[in-house]
Amino acid sequence: MNFLDAEQSKILVVDDHPASRMTAVALLSVEGYEILEADSGPSALACVKETQPDLILLDVMMPGMDGFEVCRHLKQDEQTRLIPIIFVTALNDRRSRIRGIEAGGDDFLTKPFDHLELSARVKSLVRQKRLNEDLDHAEQVLFSIARTVESRDPNTGDHCERLVSRGQAFGEFLHLSRNEIRDLMWGGYLHDIGKVGIPDGVLLKTGKLTAQEWEIMKQHVVIGEKICLPLRTMRGVRPLIRHHHERWDGTGYPDGLVGDEIPYIAQVFQVVDIYDALTSERPYKQAFTSEKALEIMAEETAKGWRNPQLVEQFTTFIRTTEMGEPARAVNRIHLIESEEPAAIAGSWRLANG
């Protein structure tokens, strides 16, 4: 192994048996790593918090807090989830390997250590961690840009935070997958990131936009998609960013998609976004009550703008989770054919298009 590959890399060896630790320490020290030691689960967690190692070699069987519990703690913590963990198991211990996978372990080694195998696995996972950290930093840059975009408009308040929270809750209500719920939550922050490319004269204009200005505004979804395109982790968020202003009847933008041509994740996010805009105070309108907001959404659905089944599900979700009504009292929404209220006219520039 090239000594430069190990430069600044810290390996934490966790084992309650000093002899086992000494073996691992001796082998890894030869490779040029900085070695840290812990003799128990609690001491390992304390060491990780203080030193942020690049990799953890973790014994499975320890008294009190075993290796599986240590791993679960670390993988559930945003600050330590990217640290690779290699479980040390007894030879052919299939049950421990399965439990280790469930706990979030990244690899396995058996005792006694094979020097070449230990070196190869550690080297590979340390490099993978560096790649993951670079990717994580890129994601954080995107979220920082999104927060900057939101701060350009002082009227939206905590709009993104509310979208993240309600998006997660509605996604769970719909029994979406874990990845889909994550995409909904990330979309709460990133859906309008493309507005970083919209001139202030258009984005912050208080009066009605001209036809030319409106065409410029509509480009924010395309710009946002392009910003997130290089990151593979944003693959599930990009359809939400591009299509959250489409309409069920094809009159939305940017692509005029119709019905289920609109990605489902974008449809789900759209109803959450619209509801938040309706129930929040803006310079051009007062905050509507939940009941009034649902009524307006029903009117828009009757016009063909929204997915009727999804709006019905969202109505049930709001009534049961935020308005305190029992689920059995909500059988279906009533789509009302009526004139759009005058108070709403012109207010959908940011939320609806």
Side-chain angles (χ1 to χ4, degrees), residues 9 214 303 317 344:
S9 296
W214 181 236
K303 294 177 180 179
F317 164 73
I344 307 302

Side-chain angles (χ1 to χ4, degrees), residues 282-293:
R282 300 289 171 85
Y284 45 76
K285 61 175 272 297
Q286 295 294 316
F288 292 106
T289 64
S290 295
E291 190 64 50
K292 184 62 177 177

